[in-house]
Protein backbone atom coordinates (compact mmCIF):
# COMPACT_ATOMS: atom_id res chain seq x y z
CA UNK A 1 0.00 0.00 0.00
CA UNK A 2 1.36 3.44 -0.95
CA UNK A 3 2.28 5.83 1.82
CA UNK A 4 0.41 9.15 2.21
CA UNK A 5 3.52 10.94 0.96
CA UNK A 6 3.62 8.92 -2.26
CA UNK A 7 -0.10 9.51 -2.77
CA UNK A 8 0.51 13.24 -2.32
CA UNK A 9 3.35 13.19 -4.84
CA UNK A 10 1.14 11.22 -7.22
CA UNK A 11 -1.47 13.98 -7.05
CA UNK A 12 1.22 16.60 -7.70
CA UNK A 13 2.37 14.69 -10.77
CA UNK A 14 -1.14 14.27 -12.15
CA UNK A 15 -1.84 17.94 -11.62
CA UNK A 16 1.42 19.60 -12.72
CA UNK A 17 3.72 17.10 -14.49
CA UNK A 18 4.77 17.58 -18.14
CA UNK A 19 5.99 14.40 -19.94
CA UNK A 20 9.55 14.36 -21.23
CA UNK A 21 8.60 13.75 -24.87
CA UNK A 22 7.02 17.24 -24.95
CA UNK A 23 9.89 19.03 -23.22
CA UNK A 24 12.95 17.18 -24.52
CA UNK A 25 12.08 14.85 -27.40
CA UNK A 26 15.70 13.66 -27.73
CA UNK A 27 16.00 12.66 -24.07
CA UNK A 28 15.56 9.11 -22.79
CA UNK A 29 11.89 8.27 -22.15
CA UNK A 30 12.58 5.09 -20.16
CA UNK A 31 11.89 6.66 -16.76
CA UNK A 32 9.14 8.99 -17.94
CA UNK A 33 5.91 9.05 -15.96
CA UNK A 34 2.88 7.71 -17.85
CA UNK A 35 -0.09 9.98 -17.17
CA UNK A 36 -3.68 8.73 -17.50
CA UNK A 37 -4.83 12.17 -18.69
CA UNK A 38 -3.59 15.69 -19.39
CA UNK A 39 -2.49 17.34 -16.11
CA UNK A 40 -4.87 19.90 -14.65
CA UNK A 41 -2.24 22.63 -14.44
CA UNK A 42 1.00 21.80 -16.32
CA UNK A 43 3.73 24.27 -15.32
CA UNK A 44 7.07 25.40 -16.65
CA UNK A 45 9.29 26.60 -13.81
CA UNK A 46 12.12 29.12 -14.30
CA UNK A 47 14.36 29.82 -11.30
CA UNK A 48 17.20 32.31 -10.92
CA UNK A 49 19.32 30.04 -8.72
CA UNK A 50 21.46 33.02 -7.67
CA UNK A 51 18.55 35.08 -6.33
CA UNK A 52 17.74 35.13 -2.65
CA UNK A 53 21.16 33.92 -1.56
CA UNK A 54 20.98 30.14 -1.08
CA UNK A 55 17.19 30.10 -1.47
CA UNK A 56 17.23 30.06 -5.28
CA UNK A 57 19.37 26.93 -5.37
CA UNK A 58 17.27 25.24 -2.68
CA UNK A 59 14.07 26.06 -4.54
CA UNK A 60 15.50 24.62 -7.75
CA UNK A 61 16.33 21.35 -5.99
CA UNK A 62 12.84 21.04 -4.45
CA UNK A 63 10.96 21.70 -7.69
CA UNK A 64 13.11 19.15 -9.53
CA UNK A 65 12.43 16.57 -6.82
CA UNK A 66 8.66 17.03 -7.22
CA UNK A 67 8.32 17.48 -10.99
CA UNK A 68 9.98 16.33 -14.18
CA UNK A 69 13.52 17.72 -14.10
CA UNK A 70 13.05 18.77 -17.73
CA UNK A 71 10.26 21.21 -16.80
CA UNK A 72 12.32 23.08 -14.20
CA UNK A 73 14.98 25.43 -15.58
CA UNK A 74 17.91 27.20 -13.97
CA UNK A 75 18.21 30.62 -15.65
CA UNK A 76 21.93 30.49 -14.97
CA UNK A 77 22.18 27.54 -17.35
CA UNK A 78 19.58 28.22 -20.06
CA UNK A 79 17.76 31.36 -21.15
CA UNK A 80 13.94 31.43 -21.25
CA UNK A 81 13.79 32.34 -24.95
CA UNK A 82 15.75 29.22 -25.95
CA UNK A 83 13.54 27.05 -23.71
CA UNK A 84 10.27 28.45 -25.03
CA UNK A 85 11.34 28.37 -28.67
CA UNK A 86 12.27 24.69 -28.34
CA UNK A 87 9.08 23.79 -26.46
CA UNK A 88 6.64 25.56 -28.78
CA UNK A 89 8.36 24.27 -31.90
CA UNK A 90 7.94 20.74 -30.57
CA UNK A 91 4.31 21.42 -29.59
CA UNK A 92 3.54 22.54 -33.15
CA UNK A 93 5.09 19.37 -34.56
CA UNK A 94 3.12 17.18 -32.15
CA UNK A 95 -0.16 18.97 -32.84
CA UNK A 96 0.34 18.68 -36.60
CA UNK A 97 0.73 14.93 -36.07
CA UNK A 98 -2.62 14.79 -34.30
CA UNK A 99 -1.36 14.64 -30.67
CA UNK A 100 -4.44 15.68 -28.66
CA UNK A 101 -2.46 15.49 -25.41
CA UNK A 102 -0.08 18.21 -26.67
CA UNK A 103 -3.01 20.38 -27.81
CA UNK A 104 -4.75 20.25 -24.43
CA UNK A 105 -1.49 20.70 -22.52
CA UNK A 106 -0.69 23.89 -24.43
CA UNK A 107 -4.13 25.28 -23.57
CA UNK A 108 -3.59 24.62 -19.85
CA UNK A 109 0.09 25.57 -19.60
CA UNK A 110 1.19 28.05 -16.93
CA UNK A 111 4.60 29.54 -16.10
CA UNK A 112 6.24 30.08 -12.70
CA UNK A 113 9.28 32.37 -12.45
CA UNK A 114 11.28 32.67 -9.22
CA UNK A 115 13.66 35.59 -8.77
CA UNK A 116 13.66 39.34 -8.28
CA UNK A 117 11.59 41.81 -10.27
CA UNK A 118 14.40 41.95 -12.84
CA UNK A 119 14.24 38.20 -13.42
CA UNK A 120 10.44 38.30 -13.73
CA UNK A 121 10.70 41.22 -16.15
CA UNK A 122 13.18 39.29 -18.28
CA UNK A 123 10.74 36.40 -18.65
CA UNK A 124 7.76 38.67 -19.29
CA UNK A 125 9.73 40.33 -22.07
CA UNK A 126 10.57 37.00 -23.65
CA UNK A 127 6.93 35.86 -23.66
CA UNK A 128 5.88 39.23 -25.13
CA UNK A 129 8.50 39.16 -27.88
CA UNK A 130 7.83 35.59 -28.99
CA UNK A 131 4.23 36.52 -29.83
CA UNK A 132 2.92 33.04 -29.07
CA UNK A 133 -0.55 32.20 -30.35
CA UNK A 134 -1.54 31.11 -26.83
CA UNK A 135 0.87 32.83 -24.42
CA UNK A 136 0.79 31.17 -20.99
CA UNK A 137 -0.07 33.26 -17.91
CA UNK A 138 2.76 33.85 -15.45
CA UNK A 139 3.06 33.58 -11.66
CA UNK A 140 6.00 35.20 -9.85
CA UNK A 141 7.80 33.84 -6.78
CA UNK A 142 9.34 36.62 -4.63
CA UNK A 143 13.11 36.04 -4.38
CA UNK A 144 14.37 39.64 -4.62
CA UNK A 145 14.61 42.73 -2.42
CA UNK A 146 11.56 44.75 -3.52
CA UNK A 147 9.37 42.00 -5.01
CA UNK A 148 6.84 44.52 -6.32
CA UNK A 149 5.57 42.29 -9.13
CA UNK A 150 4.67 39.28 -6.96
CA UNK A 151 3.24 41.49 -4.23
CA UNK A 152 0.95 43.33 -6.67
CA UNK A 153 -0.59 40.04 -7.81
CA UNK A 154 -0.97 38.45 -4.39
CA UNK A 155 2.13 36.22 -4.19
CA UNK A 156 3.63 38.08 -1.23
CA UNK A 157 6.90 39.95 -0.86
CA UNK A 158 8.79 37.76 1.60
CA UNK A 159 11.13 35.06 0.36
CA UNK A 160 9.21 31.75 0.20
CA UNK A 161 9.86 28.49 1.98
CA UNK A 162 11.90 26.04 -0.05
CA UNK A 163 10.79 22.73 1.51
CA UNK A 164 8.41 20.35 -0.27
CA UNK A 165 5.32 21.40 1.68
CA UNK A 166 5.89 25.09 0.87
CA UNK A 167 6.43 24.37 -2.82
CA UNK A 168 3.35 22.11 -3.01
CA UNK A 169 1.29 24.84 -1.33
CA UNK A 170 2.50 27.38 -3.91
CA UNK A 171 1.72 25.01 -6.79
CA UNK A 172 -1.83 24.60 -5.47
CA UNK A 173 -2.19 28.40 -5.37
CA UNK A 174 -1.00 28.60 -8.99
CA UNK A 175 -3.62 26.03 -9.99
CA UNK A 176 -6.37 28.05 -8.26
CA UNK A 177 -5.14 31.47 -9.47
CA UNK A 178 -7.08 33.71 -11.84
CA UNK A 179 -5.73 35.21 -15.06
CA UNK A 180 -5.35 38.98 -15.23
CA UNK A 181 -4.02 41.11 -18.06
CA UNK A 182 -1.34 43.70 -17.30
CA UNK A 183 -0.25 46.67 -19.41
CA UNK A 184 3.31 46.78 -20.68
CA UNK A 185 5.22 49.92 -21.60
CA UNK A 186 7.79 50.91 -24.20
CA UNK A 187 10.47 53.40 -23.21
CA UNK A 188 12.64 55.28 -25.67
CA UNK A 189 15.66 57.48 -24.98
CA UNK A 190 17.11 59.67 -27.70
CA UNK A 191 20.17 61.92 -27.48
CA UNK A 192 22.31 63.73 -29.99
CA UNK A 193 25.53 62.00 -30.99
CA UNK A 194 28.43 63.76 -29.25
CA UNK A 195 31.09 65.39 -31.36
CA UNK A 196 33.70 63.46 -29.42
CA UNK A 197 33.85 60.74 -26.79
CA UNK A 198 31.57 57.77 -26.17
CA UNK A 199 27.98 57.77 -27.40
CA UNK A 200 26.78 55.28 -24.80
CA UNK A 201 24.68 56.93 -22.08
CA UNK A 202 26.25 54.68 -19.48
CA UNK A 203 28.89 51.98 -19.19
CA UNK A 204 27.48 48.70 -20.59
CA UNK A 205 27.46 46.78 -17.32
CA UNK A 206 25.63 49.63 -15.59
CA UNK A 207 22.73 49.38 -18.00
CA UNK A 208 19.57 47.84 -16.53
CA UNK A 209 20.43 44.64 -18.38
CA UNK A 210 17.82 42.55 -16.59
CA UNK A 211 15.11 44.56 -18.28
CA UNK A 212 16.33 44.17 -21.85
CA UNK A 213 16.17 47.94 -21.60
CA UNK A 214 18.06 50.60 -23.47
CA UNK A 215 19.96 48.76 -26.11
CA UNK A 216 20.84 51.01 -28.99
CA UNK A 217 18.71 50.67 -32.11
CA UNK A 218 20.49 50.25 -35.43
CA UNK A 219 20.97 53.08 -37.92
CA UNK A 220 18.46 51.38 -40.25
CA UNK A 221 15.73 51.19 -37.58
CA UNK A 222 12.68 53.40 -38.14
CA UNK A 223 13.00 54.66 -34.56
CA UNK A 224 16.42 56.13 -35.26
CA UNK A 225 16.89 59.82 -36.09
CA UNK A 226 19.88 61.00 -38.07
CA UNK A 227 22.52 62.57 -35.86
CA UNK A 228 21.10 60.94 -32.74
CA UNK A 229 21.57 57.77 -30.79
CA UNK A 230 18.36 56.03 -29.81
CA UNK A 231 17.92 53.46 -27.05
CA UNK A 232 14.77 51.57 -26.24
CA UNK A 233 13.40 49.05 -23.79
CA UNK A 234 10.32 48.15 -21.80
CA UNK A 235 8.91 47.86 -18.29
CA UNK A 236 5.90 46.57 -16.37
CA UNK A 237 5.98 48.15 -12.94
CA UNK A 238 7.46 51.65 -12.94
CA UNK A 239 9.88 54.21 -14.28
CA UNK A 240 11.21 56.67 -11.70
CA UNK A 241 13.61 59.57 -11.77
CA UNK A 242 15.27 61.67 -9.12
CA UNK A 243 16.31 61.10 -5.56
CA UNK A 244 14.59 57.75 -4.97
CA UNK A 245 16.56 56.37 -7.95
CA UNK A 246 19.73 57.89 -6.49
CA UNK A 247 19.28 55.88 -3.28
CA UNK A 248 18.60 52.74 -5.32
CA UNK A 249 21.74 53.37 -7.38
CA UNK A 250 23.82 53.63 -4.18
CA UNK A 251 22.38 50.31 -2.98
CA UNK A 252 23.08 48.49 -6.23
CA UNK A 253 26.59 49.94 -6.43
CA UNK A 254 27.37 48.74 -2.91
CA UNK A 255 25.90 45.31 -3.63
CA UNK A 256 28.01 45.00 -6.78
CA UNK A 257 31.19 45.78 -4.82
CA UNK A 258 30.34 43.52 -1.85
CA UNK A 259 27.93 40.81 -3.06
CA UNK A 260 28.75 38.54 -0.10
CA UNK A 261 27.03 41.05 2.24
CA UNK A 262 23.71 40.92 0.37
CA UNK A 263 22.52 37.34 0.73
CA UNK A 264 19.71 38.01 3.22
CA UNK A 265 16.48 39.82 2.38
CA UNK A 266 16.17 41.49 5.79
CA UNK A 267 19.79 42.69 5.69
CA UNK A 268 19.23 44.04 2.17
CA UNK A 269 16.19 46.02 3.26
CA UNK A 270 17.95 47.49 6.31
CA UNK A 271 20.93 48.44 4.14
CA UNK A 272 18.55 50.15 1.73
CA UNK A 273 17.06 52.17 4.60
CA UNK A 274 20.53 53.15 5.84
CA UNK A 275 21.53 54.37 2.40
CA UNK A 276 18.32 56.40 2.24
CA UNK A 277 19.58 58.30 5.28
CA UNK A 278 23.19 58.69 4.15
CA UNK A 279 22.12 59.90 0.70
CA UNK A 280 20.04 62.62 2.33
CA UNK A 281 16.67 61.34 1.14
CA UNK A 282 15.14 61.97 4.57
CA UNK A 283 16.59 65.50 4.77
CA UNK A 284 16.51 66.37 1.10
CA UNK A 285 16.02 70.10 1.64
CA UNK A 286 19.45 70.17 3.32
CA UNK A 287 21.42 67.72 1.17
CA UNK A 288 19.71 67.78 -2.23
CA UNK A 289 20.39 70.86 -4.42
CA UNK A 290 17.23 72.36 -5.88
CA UNK A 291 18.90 72.25 -9.30
CA UNK A 292 18.21 68.51 -9.25
CA UNK A 293 14.50 68.89 -8.52
CA UNK A 294 12.37 67.52 -11.35
CA UNK A 295 10.99 70.88 -12.51
CA UNK A 296 14.55 72.20 -12.94
CA UNK A 297 15.76 69.06 -14.74
CA UNK A 298 13.07 68.45 -17.31
CA UNK A 299 10.06 69.70 -19.18
CA UNK A 300 7.34 67.07 -18.85
CA UNK A 301 4.52 66.47 -21.34
CA UNK A 302 1.69 63.96 -21.22
CA UNK A 303 -0.94 62.57 -23.56
CA UNK A 304 -4.02 61.59 -21.62
CA UNK A 305 -5.70 59.63 -24.36
CA UNK A 306 -5.15 59.64 -28.08
CA UNK A 307 -4.73 63.29 -28.86
CA UNK A 308 -2.47 66.26 -28.27
CA UNK A 309 0.53 66.52 -25.99
CA UNK A 310 0.01 68.86 -23.05
CA UNK A 311 2.47 70.32 -20.56
CA UNK A 312 2.40 68.78 -17.09
CA UNK A 313 3.02 71.18 -14.23
CA UNK A 314 5.54 69.80 -11.73
CA UNK A 315 5.66 71.61 -8.36
CA UNK A 316 9.08 73.13 -7.64
CA UNK A 317 9.53 71.04 -4.47
CA UNK A 318 9.21 67.64 -6.22
CA UNK A 319 12.52 65.72 -6.04
CA UNK A 320 11.31 62.39 -7.38
CA UNK A 321 8.74 61.40 -9.97
CA UNK A 322 7.30 57.91 -10.46
CA UNK A 323 5.38 56.67 -13.51
CA UNK A 324 3.55 53.69 -12.05
CA UNK A 325 1.80 50.78 -13.74
CA UNK A 326 1.16 48.58 -10.67
CA UNK A 327 -0.08 49.50 -7.17
CA UNK A 328 3.25 48.40 -5.66
CA UNK A 329 6.38 50.49 -5.29
CA UNK A 330 9.41 50.27 -2.98
CA UNK A 331 8.45 46.90 -1.55
CA UNK A 332 4.67 47.14 -1.63
CA UNK A 333 3.64 50.77 -1.10
CA UNK A 334 0.84 52.28 -3.21
CA UNK A 335 1.80 55.88 -4.14
CA UNK A 336 -1.43 56.62 -6.05
CA UNK A 337 -3.94 55.30 -3.56
CA UNK A 338 -7.60 55.41 -4.58
CA UNK A 339 -9.00 58.87 -5.42
CA UNK A 340 -12.39 59.64 -3.90
CA UNK A 341 -15.46 60.57 -5.95
CA UNK A 342 -14.65 64.30 -5.83
CA UNK A 343 -11.16 63.76 -7.23
CA UNK A 344 -12.53 61.49 -9.91
CA UNK A 345 -15.06 64.12 -10.95
CA UNK A 346 -12.98 67.30 -10.62
CA UNK A 347 -9.61 66.01 -11.86
CA UNK A 348 -10.71 63.12 -14.07
CA UNK A 349 -8.77 60.65 -11.90
CA UNK A 350 -9.53 56.93 -11.58
CA UNK A 351 -8.36 54.04 -9.38
CA UNK A 352 -5.08 52.46 -10.55
CA UNK A 353 -6.20 49.66 -12.87
CA UNK A 354 -3.36 47.52 -14.26
CA UNK A 355 -4.99 47.04 -17.68
CA UNK A 356 -6.44 50.48 -18.53
CA UNK A 357 -3.60 51.68 -20.76
CA UNK A 358 -2.60 54.46 -18.35
CA UNK A 359 0.31 55.17 -16.04
CA UNK A 360 -0.19 56.93 -12.72
CA UNK A 361 2.29 59.82 -12.40
CA UNK A 362 3.18 60.62 -8.78
CA UNK A 363 5.63 63.10 -7.23
CA UNK A 364 7.51 63.07 -3.90
CA UNK A 365 9.32 65.84 -2.06
CA UNK A 366 11.46 63.55 0.10
CA UNK A 367 11.36 60.27 2.02
CA UNK A 368 9.25 61.79 4.81
CA UNK A 369 6.66 62.65 2.17
CA UNK A 370 6.93 59.06 0.94
CA UNK A 371 6.20 57.76 4.42
CA UNK A 372 2.63 59.10 4.21
CA UNK A 373 2.06 55.95 2.16
CA UNK A 374 2.19 54.02 5.42
CA UNK A 375 -0.84 55.91 6.75
CA UNK A 376 -4.42 54.97 5.92
CA UNK A 377 -5.36 56.55 2.56
CA UNK A 378 -1.81 57.92 2.25
CA UNK A 379 -0.45 58.75 -1.19
CA UNK A 380 2.06 60.96 -2.96
CA UNK A 381 1.31 64.07 -5.00
CA UNK A 382 -0.97 62.89 -7.78
CA UNK A 383 0.20 64.65 -10.94
CA UNK A 384 -1.66 62.89 -13.76
CA UNK A 385 -2.76 59.67 -15.42
CA UNK A 386 -1.33 59.36 -18.89
CA UNK A 387 -1.32 57.10 -21.94
CA UNK A 388 2.06 58.56 -22.96
CA UNK A 389 4.62 60.72 -21.16
CA UNK A 390 7.69 62.58 -22.41
CA UNK A 391 10.63 64.09 -20.50
CA UNK A 392 12.76 66.68 -22.31
CA UNK A 393 16.11 67.49 -20.71
CA UNK A 394 18.01 70.62 -21.73
CA UNK A 395 21.26 72.12 -20.56
CA UNK A 396 20.92 73.18 -16.93
CA UNK A 397 22.62 73.35 -13.56
CA UNK A 398 22.85 69.54 -13.21
CA UNK A 399 25.05 67.36 -15.40
CA UNK A 400 23.31 64.11 -14.46
CA UNK A 401 20.31 62.58 -12.76
CA UNK A 402 19.36 59.08 -11.64
CA UNK A 403 16.74 56.88 -13.26
CA UNK A 404 15.25 53.53 -12.39
CA UNK A 405 13.13 50.93 -14.20
CA UNK A 406 11.47 48.17 -12.17
CA UNK A 407 14.16 48.34 -9.48
CA UNK A 408 17.17 48.62 -11.81
CA UNK A 409 18.83 52.07 -11.45
CA UNK A 410 21.44 53.93 -13.47
CA UNK A 411 23.20 57.29 -13.53
CA UNK A 412 22.07 59.25 -16.58
CA UNK A 413 24.26 62.08 -17.99
CA UNK A 414 22.34 65.20 -19.04
CA UNK A 415 23.11 67.70 -21.81
CA UNK A 416 26.17 69.90 -21.32
CA UNK A 417 25.56 72.07 -24.39
CA UNK A 418 22.53 72.90 -26.51
CA UNK A 419 21.57 69.29 -27.08
CA UNK A 420 18.41 67.66 -25.75
CA UNK A 421 17.89 64.26 -24.15
CA UNK A 422 14.37 62.89 -24.63
CA UNK A 423 12.80 60.02 -22.69
CA UNK A 424 9.38 58.96 -23.95
CA UNK A 425 7.11 56.26 -22.53
CA UNK A 426 4.21 54.80 -24.52
CA UNK A 427 1.71 52.00 -23.99
CA UNK A 428 2.92 48.85 -25.74
CA UNK A 429 0.51 45.98 -25.18
CA UNK A 430 -0.46 43.52 -22.47
CA UNK A 431 0.76 40.28 -20.91
CA UNK A 432 -1.21 37.63 -19.00
CA UNK A 433 -0.42 37.32 -15.30
CA UNK A 434 -1.62 34.88 -12.68
CA UNK A 435 -3.09 36.49 -9.58
CA UNK A 436 -4.51 35.26 -6.31
CA UNK A 437 -8.12 36.10 -5.58
CA UNK A 438 -8.30 39.31 -3.58
CA UNK A 439 -4.89 40.62 -4.73
CA UNK A 440 -4.32 44.38 -4.69
CA UNK A 441 -4.05 44.71 -8.49
CA UNK A 442 -7.41 45.65 -10.04
CA UNK A 443 -8.69 45.08 -13.54
CA UNK A 444 -10.99 47.21 -15.69
CA UNK A 445 -12.69 43.96 -16.73
CA UNK A 446 -13.29 42.60 -13.23
CA UNK A 447 -16.58 43.77 -11.68
CA UNK A 448 -15.20 43.18 -8.18
CA UNK A 449 -12.56 45.86 -8.89
CA UNK A 450 -15.15 48.58 -9.42
CA UNK A 451 -15.91 49.53 -5.83
CA UNK A 452 -16.36 52.96 -4.33
CA UNK A 453 -13.58 54.23 -2.09
CA UNK A 454 -14.66 57.60 -0.79
CA UNK A 455 -12.60 57.55 2.37
CA UNK A 456 -9.50 58.88 0.62
CA UNK A 457 -9.98 62.63 0.65
CA UNK A 458 -6.46 63.89 1.22
CA UNK A 459 -4.30 65.14 -1.60
CA UNK A 460 -0.77 66.51 -1.46
CA UNK A 461 -1.02 68.52 -4.02
CA UNK A 462 -6.36 53.50 -29.10
CA UNK A 463 -2.78 52.38 -29.61
CA UNK A 464 -0.69 54.49 -31.95
CA UNK A 465 0.44 52.71 -35.06
CA UNK A 466 4.02 51.86 -34.19
CA UNK A 467 6.66 50.06 -36.14
CA UNK A 468 7.10 46.36 -35.49
CA UNK A 469 10.51 46.91 -33.92
CA UNK A 470 8.97 49.14 -31.25
CA UNK A 471 6.60 46.34 -30.33
CA UNK A 472 9.51 44.26 -29.09
CA UNK A 473 11.06 44.46 -25.67
CA UNK A 474 14.25 42.92 -27.03
CA UNK A 475 14.19 40.11 -24.50
CA UNK A 476 14.05 37.32 -27.02
CA UNK A 477 16.33 37.06 -30.02
CA UNK A 478 17.57 40.66 -30.09
CA UNK A 479 18.50 40.75 -26.41
CA UNK A 480 20.98 38.58 -24.58
CA UNK A 481 22.44 39.10 -21.14
CA UNK A 482 26.22 39.25 -21.59
CA UNK A 483 28.12 36.17 -20.41
CA UNK A 484 30.18 38.25 -18.02
CA UNK A 485 27.11 39.57 -16.20
CA UNK A 486 26.31 37.81 -12.93
CA UNK A 487 22.55 37.18 -12.98
CA UNK A 488 22.45 37.36 -9.19
CA UNK A 489 22.10 41.11 -9.82
CA UNK A 490 18.69 40.59 -11.40
CA UNK A 491 16.81 40.90 -8.13
Amino acid sequence: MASPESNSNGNIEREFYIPTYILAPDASQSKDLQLPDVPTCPVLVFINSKSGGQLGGDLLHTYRSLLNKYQVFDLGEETPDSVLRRLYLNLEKLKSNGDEFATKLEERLRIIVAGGDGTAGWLLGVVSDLKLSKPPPIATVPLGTGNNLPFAFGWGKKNPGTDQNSVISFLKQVMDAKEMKMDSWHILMRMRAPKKGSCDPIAPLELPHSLHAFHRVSSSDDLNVEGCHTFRGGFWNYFSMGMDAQVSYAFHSERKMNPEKFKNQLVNQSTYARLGCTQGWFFASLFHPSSRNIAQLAKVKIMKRQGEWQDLHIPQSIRSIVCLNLPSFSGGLNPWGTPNSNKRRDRDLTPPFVDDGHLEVVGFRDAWHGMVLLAPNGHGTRLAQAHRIRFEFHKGAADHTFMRIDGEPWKQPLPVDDDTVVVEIAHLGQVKMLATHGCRSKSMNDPSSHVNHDGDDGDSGEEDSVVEEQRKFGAADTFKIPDEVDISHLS
Side-chain angles (χ1 to χ4, degrees):
M1 182 175 178
S3 68
E5 182 178 355
S6 65
N7 284 337
S8 174
N9 281 349
N11 290 335
I12 290 300
E13 290 165 343
R14 285 192 295 273
E15 290 166 342
F16 304 102
Y17 189 92
I18 300 178
T20 301
Y21 86 96
I22 286 178
L23 297 155
D26 298 331
S28 170
Q29 313 292 317
S30 59
K31 295 183 180 179
D32 203 11
L33 183 69
Q34 300 301 310
L35 295 175
D37 199 1
V38 181
T40 311
C41 180
V43 291
L44 286 178
V45 184
F46 294 91
I47 298 174
N48 184 344
S49 60
K50 296 185 179 179
S51 283
Q54 182 63 34
L55 294 181
D58 292 345
L59 207 57
L60 184 73
H61 175 78
T62 303
Y63 270 100
R64 284 180 172 169
S65 71
L66 288 169
L67 303 172
N68 189 339
K69 66 178 182 180
Y70 292 109
Q71 74 187 95
V72 182
F73 303 92
D74 183 349
L75 289 171
E77 297 175 352
E78 191 168 14
T79 60
D81 49 310
S82 62
V83 171
L84 291 172
R85 284 179 191 279
R86 184 178 68 243
L87 171 66
Y88 277 86
L89 180 62
N90 192 43
L91 282 172
E92 288 304 315
K93 290 179 180 177
L94 292 169
K95 289 191 297 180
S96 66
N97 291 331
D99 190 324
E100 290 296 324
F101 188 100
T103 301
K104 292 180 180 178
L105 186 138
E106 181 183 19
E107 292 172 352
R108 299 178 185 182
L109 186 64
R110 296 187 163 195
I111 286 178
I112 295 171
V113 56
D117 284 336
T119 302
W122 180 18
L123 194 124
L124 286 168
V126 166
V127 172
S128 297
D129 280 358
L130 290 179
K131 302 210 181 320
L132 305 169
S133 59
K134 297 176 182 176
I138 299 165
T140 53
V141 180
L143 270 187
T145 302
N147 296 321
N148 290 293
L149 265 167
F151 186 66
F153 290 95
W155 303 109
K157 57 183 175 179
K158 293 182 179 179
N159 290 159
T162 60
D163 59 283
Q164 281 202 5
N165 287 338
S166 297
V167 169
I168 290 172
S169 175
F170 188 86
L171 285 168
K172 295 286 189 182
Q173 284 185 283
V174 169
M175 184 167 61
D176 295 336
K178 63 180 179 180
E179 290 188 21
M180 181 181 290
K181 289 187 176 180
M182 174 180 70
D183 291 325
S184 52
W185 297 88
H186 179 265
I187 182 165
L188 175 145
M189 178 186 289
R190 181 175 288 133
M191 61 194 71
R192 288 205 170 276
K195 295 173 183 175
K196 58 182 180 179
S198 171
C199 57
D200 283 320
I202 23 190
L205 292 186
E206 292 185 11
L207 288 168
H209 50 262
S210 66
L211 295 164
H212 38 269
F214 290 157
H215 72 269
R216 192 185 313 163
V217 302
S218 67
S219 57
S220 61
D221 195 299
D222 289 342
L223 290 175
N224 201 32
V225 173
E226 187 175 354
C228 295
H229 290 294
T230 304
F231 301 79
R232 64 168 188 78
F235 69 93
W236 288 266
N237 194 354
Y238 66 87
F239 166 84
S240 73
M241 179 180 68
M243 202 159 184
D244 79 290
Q246 179 179 334
V247 174
S248 179
Y249 182 80
F251 173 82
H252 280 253
S253 298
E254 191 164 317
R255 183 168 66 173
K256 185 182 292 186
M257 289 186 294
N258 302 288
E260 70 283 354
K261 297 180 180 178
F262 292 83
K263 295 186 179 297
N264 179 280
Q265 187 182 43
L266 187 59
V267 171
N268 291 356
Q269 291 169 344
S270 62
T271 302
Y272 203 102
R274 172 179 60 80
L275 288 170
C277 294
T278 58
Q279 293 288 314
W281 185 213
F282 282 92
F283 303 96
S285 59
L286 299 176
F287 295 98
H288 183 85
S290 60
S291 60
R292 290 191 186 173
N293 288 7
I294 303 301
Q296 278 69 41
L297 287 175
K299 184 176 183 180
V300 185
K301 296 184 177 183
I302 62 169
M303 188 182 291
K304 282 201 167 184
R305 295 173 181 85
Q306 295 306 315
E308 298 294 321
W309 288 102
Q310 54 185 275
D311 292 335
L312 178 64
H313 171 70
I314 307 294
Q316 294 293 321
S317 60
I318 296 297
R319 296 180 175 88
S320 182
I321 192 169
V322 182
C323 303
L324 194 69
N325 187 39
L326 302 180
S328 181
F329 177 71
S330 289
L333 302 175
N334 183 2
W336 185 256
T338 303
N340 64 20
S341 55
N342 292 334
K343 296 293 188 302
R344 297 184 215 179
R345 181 189 65 241
D346 299 339
R347 294 187 58 196
D348 191 24
L349 302 180
T350 72
F353 297 115
V354 299
D355 55 356
D356 61 356
H358 285 82
L359 288 169
E360 282 68 47
V361 186
V362 185
F364 291 100
R365 297 186 299 272
D366 53 26
W368 295 113
H369 184 197
M371 289 184 74
V372 303
L373 302 179
L374 301 175
N377 302 328
H379 56 83
T381 300
R382 297 186 186 116
L383 299 173
Q385 287 174 300
H387 184 68
R388 302 180 74 164
I389 183 166
R390 179 192 294 163
F391 298 89
E392 297 177 356
F393 302 89
H394 301 276
K395 179 182 178 181
D399 60 2
H400 69 274
T401 188
F402 295 87
M403 298 181 181
R404 182 163 59 145
I405 299 178
D406 287 2
E408 300 288 327
W410 73 97
K411 184 178 180 179
Q412 175 60 46
L414 297 179
V416 293
D417 46 31
D418 294 332
D419 294 338
T420 301
V421 172
V422 174
V423 174
E424 186 170 320
I425 299 169
H427 187 253
L428 176 64
Q430 293 183 325
V431 292
K432 289 197 292 187
M433 302 297 292
L434 286 170
T436 64
H437 298 272
C439 71
R440 62 165 41 199
S441 289
K442 303 302 178 186
S443 167
M444 288 283 292
N445 303 305
D446 182 357
S448 66
S449 295
H450 296 262
V451 293
N452 288 321
H453 292 276
D454 288 333
D456 178 5
D457 56 1
D459 200 345
S460 27
E462 276 302 15
E463 294 290 327
D464 288 333
S465 58
V466 292
V467 294
E468 179 62 23
E469 187 62 23
Q470 184 170 334
R471 292 189 177 277
K472 290 184 179 180
F473 285 96
D477 191 26
T478 54
F479 170 77
K480 183 179 184 298
I481 292 182
D483 293 336
E484 64 272 18
V485 173
D486 183 349
I487 66 167
S488 63
H489 293 153
L490 306 196
S491 56

